[in-house]
């Protein structure tokens, strides 16, 4: 039951990603990419990562789609190239080879949902057990983001501020 | 050989990650339209984040919000919160870089009148 749900969600992810890649009209590709982001957030909510799902639904499916659409309204909404030249040989051979190598290494990774996998037993139990005594916050993700790692979060806002400044300077009209 | 396929089908999250990552990367390398390249870049970013979050999943565990603050916490009852925190930062920074890239695209279109890589290169000569 749960397995069927999982496989169908992952198939929806693959189908929307393939649609965003294959569609010729860029506007449709952007909207399919928004669908892909939304299905990604559903998958994350199903995996128990609710905070990540919220952020993806707001920032990924919302803000990124709006940014893409704003760019398209200022430029041409169609991929004008009708016939593409053949792709380089290095990409055609190298990327499938890389994929085969990655899949061959799959058995060294922890199985999906394994409670005894190394990332789940080494350091995260101490965060789960001590965060309420340390920070008085029941949500562990919030306590790590805003308390243990608050400097990281502060510098992240500096990154976003820099990106905003860069956009403002790039898009500034020359004739003031 | 059979073992390898069994190992892959036990990890459908990894299979999905590999397909989306490599396809997005292929799009970034081969397409000539700049917006299409950015679609590929977005797929690469989100597939890596998807893989990191899927590592944190545990079967039979719930979201990392403590049910009762007073009871002692068993780590096996909650999914691993640390990848969630790291990927929250990664999502926001990824969309910020995407915004700068899209601003560059529209500035290029304003100057050269095209988003096709080869036409831009021709006009640059």
């Amino acid at each position: 039951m749960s397995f069927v749900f999982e496989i169908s969600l992952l198939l929806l992810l693959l189908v929307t990603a393939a649609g965003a890649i294959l569609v010729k009209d860029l506007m449709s590709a952007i909207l399919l990419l928004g669908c892909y982001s939304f299905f990604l957030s559903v998958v994350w909510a199903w995996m128990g990562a609710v905070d990540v799902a919220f952020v993806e639904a707001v920032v990924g499916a919302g803000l990124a789609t709006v940014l893409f659409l704003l760019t398209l309204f200022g430029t041409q909404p169609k991929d004008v190239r009708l016939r593409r030249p053949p792709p380089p040989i290095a990409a055609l051979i190298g990327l499938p080879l890389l994929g085969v190598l990655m899949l061959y290494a799959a058995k060294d990774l922890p199985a999906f949902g394994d409670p005894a996998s190394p990332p789940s037993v080494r350091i995260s139990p101490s965060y789960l057990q001590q965060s309420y005594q340390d920070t008085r916050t029941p949500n562990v993700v919030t306590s790590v983001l805003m308390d243990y790692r608050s400097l990281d979060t502060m510098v992240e806002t500096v990154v976003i501020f820099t990106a905003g400044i860069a956009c403002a300077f790039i898009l500034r009209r020359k004739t003031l | 050989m059979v073992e390898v396929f069994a190992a892959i089908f036990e990890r459908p999250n990894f299979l999905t990650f590999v397909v989306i990552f490599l396809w997005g990367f292929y799009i970034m390398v081969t397409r000539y339209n700049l917006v299409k390249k950015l679609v590929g870049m977005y797929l690469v970013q989100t597939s890596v984040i998807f893989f990191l979050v899927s590592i944190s999943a545990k079967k039979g565990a719930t979201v990392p919000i403590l049910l009762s603050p007073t009871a002692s916490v068993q780590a096996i009852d909650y999914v691993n919160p640390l990848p969630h925190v790291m990927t929250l930062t990664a999502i926001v920074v990824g969309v910020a870089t995407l915004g700068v890239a899209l601003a560059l695209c529209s500035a290029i279109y304003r100057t050269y009148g095209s988003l096709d890589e080869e036409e831009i290169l021709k006009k640059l000569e």
Side-chain angles (χ1 to χ4, degrees):
Chain A
M1 179 61 203
S2 161
F3 193 67
V4 174
F5 192 53
E6 173 189 340
I7 295 296
S8 53
L9 271 180
L10 292 181
L11 271 181
L12 272 175
L13 258 190
L14 282 177
V15 166
T16 45
I21 288 171
L22 295 176
V23 164
K24 202 82 181 169
D25 185 28
L26 287 178
M27 192 70 84
S28 325
I30 301 310
L31 294 178
L32 278 167
L33 201 67
C35 291
Y36 163 82
S37 283
F38 185 73
F39 282 125
L40 205 58
S41 84
V42 172
V43 170
W44 283 336
W46 169 73
M47 281 178 185
V50 277
D51 302 80
V52 191
F54 282 143
V55 170
E56 177 66 26
V58 172
V59 175
L63 186 64
T65 311
V66 168
L67 288 177
F68 266 118
L69 285 181
L70 281 178
T71 313
L72 280 194
F73 282 136
T75 59
Q76 55 197 16
K78 272 213 190 319
D79 196 350
V80 287
R81 184 174 292 274
L82 290 178
R83 275 188 308 141
R84 300 193 189 95
I89 303 290
L92 274 184
I93 295 174
L95 289 178
L97 199 66
L98 186 62
V100 169
L101 278 177
M102 283 163 97
L103 289 178
Y104 182 69
K107 70 175 192 303
D108 295 335
L109 285 168
F112 179 62
D114 183 13
S117 68
S120 305
V121 294
R122 286 300 294 278
I123 199 164
S124 68
S126 57
Y127 276 97
L128 281 167
Q129 281 154 4
Q130 288 168 14
S131 72
Y132 193 77
Q133 278 75 37
D134 287 347
T135 63
R136 300 283 151 192
T137 310
N139 189 339
V140 185
V141 175
T142 308
S143 76
V144 177
L145 187 75
M146 286 304 191
D147 217 308
Y148 295 106
R149 296 251 153 220
S150 49
L151 270 177
D152 278 2
T153 310
M154 192 183 80
V155 180
E156 184 202 340
T157 57
V158 175
V159 171
I160 297 162
F161 181 70
T162 315
I165 293 285
C167 283
F169 273 114
I170 290 168
L171 293 177
R172 192 181 52 172
R173 303 270 172 184
K174 287 292 189 294
T175 55
L176 282 175
Chain B
M1 202 61 197
V2 180
E3 282 173 23
V4 174
F5 281 112
I8 290 168
F9 284 110
E10 276 177 16
R11 297 163 181 79
N13 56 334
F14 186 64
L15 184 63
T16 317
F17 156 71
V18 169
V19 171
I20 297 180
F21 177 83
L22 289 176
W23 207 354
F25 198 70
Y26 177 75
I27 292 300
M28 277 177 77
V29 174
T30 56
R31 291 294 193 272
Y32 285 86
N33 190 293
L34 292 179
V35 175
K36 205 78 187 188
K37 274 177 194 281
L38 288 181
V39 169
M41 190 186 85
Y42 185 76
L43 287 176
V44 169
Q45 282 173 352
T46 48
S47 71
V48 173
I49 295 169
F50 166 75
F51 178 57
L52 290 177
V53 172
S54 74
I55 281 179
S56 77
K58 291 179 195 169
K59 279 215 167 59
T62 182
V63 297
I65 298 171
L66 303 181
L67 292 172
S68 144
T70 48
S72 74
V73 176
Q74 295 299 317
I76 205 163
D77 293 337
Y78 301 100
V79 296
N80 185 354
L82 297 181
H84 300 184
V85 181
M86 304 306 147
T87 52
L88 279 181
T89 312
I91 291 173
V92 177
V93 171
V95 172
T97 52
L98 187 76
V100 176
L102 286 169
L104 278 173
C105 271
S106 69
I108 286 171
Y109 186 78
R110 211 181 283 159
T111 314
Y112 296 102
S114 169
L115 280 181
D116 194 283
E117 199 181 60
E118 292 211 319
E119 286 181 27
I120 295 167
L121 284 178
K122 250 180 236 161
K123 281 181 186 158
L124 273 174
E125 279 167 4

